[in-house]
Amino acid sequence: MQKLILGLILLGIIGCSDSSKKQASHKSDSNNNALQYLFLAHTRMEANPKVITSIYNIDFSKYEMLWLGGDMAQLSSESTEVLEHLNGTFELKNPNTLWALGNHDYSDTALVQKFTDKPRFYSTYKNGITLMVWDTQDSLCHITGSQLDLFNEVVDTLNKSSHLIILHHKLIWLYGNDVLENRTDNISNAPIDTCSYCIQPNNFYQDIYPKLVSLNQKDIQVICVGGDIGFKTQTFEHTTPDGIHFLASGMSFNEKVNYGLVFHHDTVEQKLNWTFEALGNL
């Protein structure tokens, strides 16, 4: 896995001028200066393999990239049949489909990797943006080991990107935040606790956040996008005093109207904005 991760870093960071040309795209015309990226998460129903019905009506060709925030099916990797259904819906092997695994995706991570041709965590580059996919189910919500090594290597060498986008499932930045932690039970699907699906005490503010602030001070905008949300509220955004953006978007099968998160990218001005959109409008 380490060799694969390092290879992705080299392709995505060092050879960034070539990577966007080689990748396929959800969007048919990738020469447009105004691009859109779509983030969807917590699309699971109560039973496999279906996802929330409105997902099937989305025209994914409008979006340059598709970012998945985890818990896509009730047990996404329970079987080949479930992953085949998800692949038919989200084009999992498409280089522009990025999937940050959640606890409901974790039955067989090796099977997931077979369907995606991607490791559980990695970095890539497209259209002047560096994207990092995290596995927050690993290491009890800590970003540690090879995953921390990847983060440090990318961040310490990042200088050609206008933005760093970190895609993840659990809202690990709630824990330890003086403003947000006491709001966790009104935001996250999972509480702060020690269960396998919970937000566990972690090292985000010790090992990750200071380097994100350093990037922001170099005019690289940092956006963390989480997907373990939807049951209590479906949309969330917060900007820290240091200028780091925390976003979350997810769905509930009990709601009649669900939302996705659409990013609007002006590649000339290098500006990235976002809106929460009802699935019927996507």
Side-chain angles (χ1 to χ4, degrees), residues 1 5 8 39 65-70 95-102 105 112 116 118-125 130-138 143 146-148 150-151 154 164-169 223 225:
M1 177 180 292
I5 292 171
L8 284 164
F39 179 88
M65 301 187 79
L66 176 61
W67 303 339
L68 305 177
N96 292 315
T97 298
L98 311 184
W99 183 5
L101 297 181
D105 309 321
V112 171
T116 62
K118 307 175 186 82
R120 291 183 292 110
F121 51 87
Y122 58 97
S123 175
T124 190
Y125 176 96
T130 293
L131 300 111
M132 191 173 298
V133 177
W134 275 354
D135 178 1
T136 52
Q137 190 64 20
D138 184 48
I143 304 303
S146 297
Q147 194 162 200
L148 182 59
L150 169 65
F151 171 79
V154 170
L164 171 65
I165 310 293
I166 300 177
L167 305 177
H168 54 90
H169 181 65
I223 307 173
V225 191

Side-chain angles (χ1 to χ4, degrees), residues 214-237:
S214 295
L215 286 181
N216 190 60
Q217 292 170 346
K218 295 194 301 183
D219 293 326
I220 298 175
Q221 188 177 46
V222 178
I223 307 173
C224 300
V225 191
D228 196 16
I229 191 173
F231 284 157
K232 300 163 187 176
T233 185
Q234 295 183 308
T235 64
F236 176 81
E237 56 183 316

Side-chain angles (χ1 to χ4, degrees), residues 84-100:
E84 284 176 343
H85 184 82
L86 293 177
N87 186 49
T89 305
F90 299 121
E91 294 185 27
L92 299 179
K93 278 189 167 64
N94 190 316
N96 292 315
T97 298
L98 311 184
W99 183 5

Side-chain angles (χ1 to χ4, degrees), residues 166-180:
I166 300 177
L167 305 177
H168 54 90
H169 181 65
K170 293 181 179 180
L171 311 187
I172 60 175
W173 31 259
L174 291 175
Y175 175 80
N177 186 292
D178 293 339
V179 176
L180 299 177

Side-chain angles (χ1 to χ4, degrees), residues 163-221:
H163 296 75
L164 171 65
I165 310 293
I166 300 177
L167 305 177
H168 54 90
H169 181 65
K170 293 181 179 180
L171 311 187
I172 60 175
W173 31 259
L174 291 175
Y175 175 80
N177 186 292
D178 293 339
V179 176
L180 299 177
E181 183 173 330
N182 63 2
R183 296 174 55 194
T184 297
D185 290 342
N186 296 320
I187 300 169
S188 172
N189 291 335
I192 294 176
D193 209 332
T194 58
C195 66
S196 63
Y197 61 85
C198 292
I199 301 171
Q200 300 202 19
N202 62 73
N203 63 330
F204 180 82
Y205 287 101
Q206 289 73 38
D207 296 330
I208 304 299
Y209 188 77
K211 292 201 171 189
L212 301 184
V213 174
S214 295
L215 286 181
N216 190 60
Q217 292 170 346
K218 295 194 301 183
D219 293 326
I220 298 175
Q221 188 177 46

